[in-house]
Amino acid sequence: MSEHKIFRINIVTPDGLVYDHRSTLVVVRAIGGEIGFEADHEPTLVSLQIAPVKIYRVNGQIQYVAVNGGFLEMDDNVATIVANTAERPSDIDVGRAQTAEERAREQIKKAKQDHDKAALRRATVALNRAINRISTVSLKNH
Amino acid sequence: MSQSLTDIKHRISSVNNTEQITKAMRMVSAAKMNQVQRHYTQYEIYDTKLREILKKVASSEFFRYLTCSKESDPEAFQNIYYDLTEESIVNSFIESRQSDYQEKKHQKAAYLVITGDRGLVGSYNSSILKSALSLLRQAHKKGEDPMLFCVGSVGIDFFHRRNIKIDLEIMNLSDNPRFGEVKKIISKTVDLFQKGLYDHLLICYNHFVNSLTSTFRVEQILPISELEIFDEVGESQKVEPLVDLKTFPDPMTVLDTVLPQYAENLIYGAILDAKLAEHSASTMAMKSATDNADDLINRMSIEYNRARQGAITTEINEIVGGASALE
């Protein structure tokens, strides 16, 4: 592990700094596909999907954070994820996420019947958010 | 005389009760203000970061390339417009960057007025509403029909009473609003802009200066292209080299996430700022109410003592008079 170079990963949201640790590798799901970041990566700006972010800690531990869209900026060995919300698995209420998932699926069904595009888009985002939360927790438990 | 003595006593004790209530409310408001202030410092981390990134974006190579004008580089211009949807915020953003400042005409404005949900905040709400109303009237005089978004039940009631239509409203915000709570109105506002229902957004709110003062402020948030940050960068670009910033997937998609998020951030910042000002106004109002009650009690105590002294004097007079009558 020691040959891996270390860089800093921050996650900031409007409600404050959610995550601030050292890492050897960060894997995010960008709009065009998954990307991994290691130290000394060139300055980059990446748009993110609503998906868990995988962070390899210095001690070899792997952590997941549910990030709700936003973007990642890598510069000078500091990776910063700027998102509207971000939750660590310990802060996620799985039961609530599951009910939110069911509700979103029903809304999608209804929106499809009514041909309501705006409602469909809203429900899809809600569904993605719920799935993101659930998968972040299940990834952590594996 | 004794009647008025008990009267005054009653009044003193009732003012005393009121004073205790206002004192408690003042402490509650002060605590809430501290809470929001703490939250605001957390928010500032996010705000600073976002600003930093936007500055970097604005001084990057791809951005220069995107905002080049049609005349100077027709080929590049074509490439940019290759896969842009009509409704994209980036589209309107780039268009306005490319066109000259003089050419731009404001067609339809939207005002976002942020007020509180409660009274007992001194002149906080009335000062916002007075200024906002005069702004709206001015716009009407010019023949425009601006859209109106309103936060806070005081403002909503105020406009309803004057038969002014509100296009979007939200009330009963918590005392320390989290982003998730106001996300709805924020994204709706940005959404309407993207759909082209209005073309510039002004936010009217009270800006928190310090715990003693707040000032009414009108800030233009959309279109983003007219924000100062780009002019600042434009100035510094003449001396500093362009930043080499890679994007993934393509610059347009990245801008499409960064720019709306920045607009949302600005609106959220204004709401937090307004909340902070509201709590401080409430603290001040309750403080002056407590001081007034103190004054009243002082004055009434003097009155009470005087009345009591008067009663004693008449009593002595009566005794002396009665004694002398017996002699």
Side-chain angles (χ1 to χ4, degrees), chain B residues 93-192:
Chain B
F93 169 77
I94 291 172
E95 251 169 30
S96 56
R97 285 303 289 182
Q98 283 164 341
S99 62
D100 274 345
Y101 264 72
Q102 284 82 2
E103 273 178 42
K104 267 179 280 172
K105 262 181 279 169
H106 288 321
Q107 307 278 314
K108 191 165 167 90
Y111 290 86
L112 176 63
V113 181
I114 303 173
T115 65
D117 280 307
R118 271 183 299 242
L120 297 178
V121 284
S123 62
Y124 172 80
N125 286 314
S126 61
S127 73
I128 301 172
L129 291 170
K130 219 166 69 188
S131 316
L133 193 64
S134 75
L135 272 175
L136 284 172
R137 291 227 166 101
Q138 268 172 24
H140 270 294
K141 253 183 214 157
K142 278 191 250 162
E144 293 168 18
D145 180 26
M147 288 179 102
L148 180 64
F149 311 142
C150 194
V151 179
S153 48
V154 175
I156 294 169
D157 290 345
F158 175 86
F159 289 116
H160 275 319
R161 245 180 284 129
R162 281 163 185 71
N163 284 327
I164 298 172
K165 196 180 134 253
I166 303 174
D167 297 280
L168 243 177
E169 54 184 51
I170 183 168
M171 54 171 116
N172 297 330
L173 282 186
S174 71
D175 291 313
N176 187 9
R178 300 270 146 183
F179 189 79
E181 225 176 294
V182 287
K183 168 106 181 69
K184 221 174 188 174
I185 190 168
I186 292 176
S187 48
K188 201 90 186 250
T189 311
V190 178
D191 225 37
L192 289 176

Side-chain angles (χ1 to χ4, degrees), chain B residues 223-238:
Chain B
I224 301 174
S225 52
E226 284 174 30
L227 293 180
E228 279 172 16
I229 190 163
F230 292 105
D231 295 331
E232 270 171 41
V233 172
E235 283 301 307
S236 67
Q237 230 168 44
K238 286 167 190 159

Side-chain angles (χ1 to χ4, degrees), chain A residues 102-117:
Chain A
E102 277 163 35
R103 200 173 45 226
R105 282 194 200 282
E106 271 165 34
Q107 278 166 352
I108 286 177
K109 223 190 259 171
K110 194 170 170 289
K112 273 184 183 158
Q113 276 169 2
D114 301 347
H115 297 291
D116 187 345
K117 266 189 192 162

Side-chain angles (χ1 to χ4, degrees), chain B residues 22 25-30 32-33 118-124 211 275-289:
Chain B
T22 55
M25 285 169 87
R26 185 192 147 203
M27 285 194 285
V28 170
S29 294
K32 282 178 185 165
M33 191 177 88
R118 271 183 299 242
L120 297 178
V121 284
S123 62
Y124 172 80
S211 53
K275 262 289 175 234
L276 199 52
E278 184 188 337
H279 291 317
S280 86
S282 161
T283 313
M284 285 315 292
M286 286 306 116
K287 184 179 183 296
S288 66

Side-chain angles (χ1 to χ4, degrees), chain A:
Chain A
M1 278 315 272
S2 56
E3 68 264 30
H4 284 296
K5 285 186 78 175
I6 293 165
F7 66 103
R8 219 174 176 82
I9 166 90
N10 296 326
I11 300 177
V12 288
T13 71
D15 295 330
L17 192 63
V18 177
Y19 193 94
D20 180 12
H21 283 294
R22 291 179 308 151
S23 164
T24 52
L25 173 67
V26 172
V27 181
V28 295
R29 198 183 307 158
I31 285 180
E34 285 208 330
I35 319 188
F37 285 91
E38 282 192 316
D40 297 331
H41 198 287
E42 61 184 342
T44 313
L45 204 56
V46 179
S47 298
L48 303 180
Q49 286 188 38
I50 301 174
V53 169
K54 195 178 187 183
I55 298 163
Y56 291 77
R57 294 286 301 277
V58 177
N59 56 13
Q61 196 191 349
I62 297 173
Q63 282 185 330
Y64 293 92
V65 180
V67 171
N68 188 2
F71 51 89
L72 180 145
E73 188 226 15
M74 178 85 191
D75 191 16
D76 201 17
N77 273 340
V78 180
T80 312
I81 294 177
V82 182
N84 282 340
T85 56
E87 290 156 308
R88 302 173 70 151
S90 54
D91 299 329
I92 294 173
D93 182 344
V94 182
R96 230 180 94 184
Q98 272 158 350
T99 46
E101 185 190 354
E102 277 163 35
R103 200 173 45 226
R105 282 194 200 282
E106 271 165 34
Q107 278 166 352
I108 286 177
K109 223 190 259 171
K110 194 170 170 289
K112 273 184 183 158
Q113 276 169 2
D114 301 347
H115 297 291
D116 187 345
K117 266 189 192 162
L120 180 64
R121 206 181 51 207
R122 259 200 309 276
T124 317
V125 171
L127 179 64
N128 283 341
R129 231 179 278 148
I131 291 174
N132 179 21
R133 291 206 174 101
I134 294 165
S135 60
T136 303
V137 173
S138 64
L139 278 170
K140 181 207 163 200
N141 295 335
H142 271 183

Side-chain angles (χ1 to χ4, degrees), chain B residues 5-66:
Chain B
L5 260 184
T6 46
D7 259 7
I8 296 174
K9 220 173 184 175
H10 276 307
R11 262 162 55 207
I12 289 179
S13 78
S14 105
V15 172
N16 210 356
N17 283 341
T18 314
E19 188 192 2
Q20 269 167 5
I21 293 171
T22 55
K23 225 183 219 165
M25 285 169 87
R26 185 192 147 203
M27 285 194 285
V28 170
S29 294
K32 282 178 185 165
M33 191 177 88
N34 280 335
Q35 232 172 41
V36 179
Q37 208 151 22
R38 246 193 323 250
H39 186 198
Y40 195 82
T41 50
Q42 285 292 304
Y43 157 78
E44 264 177 343
I45 302 173
Y46 173 79
D47 181 56
T48 325
K49 192 70 218 171
L50 207 50
R51 229 171 256 269
E52 233 172 64
I53 291 177
L54 202 67
K55 256 189 187 156
K56 252 181 236 168
V57 167
S59 50
S60 69
E61 255 172 67
F62 77 83
F63 188 80
R64 167 67 67 82
Y65 175 72
L66 283 174

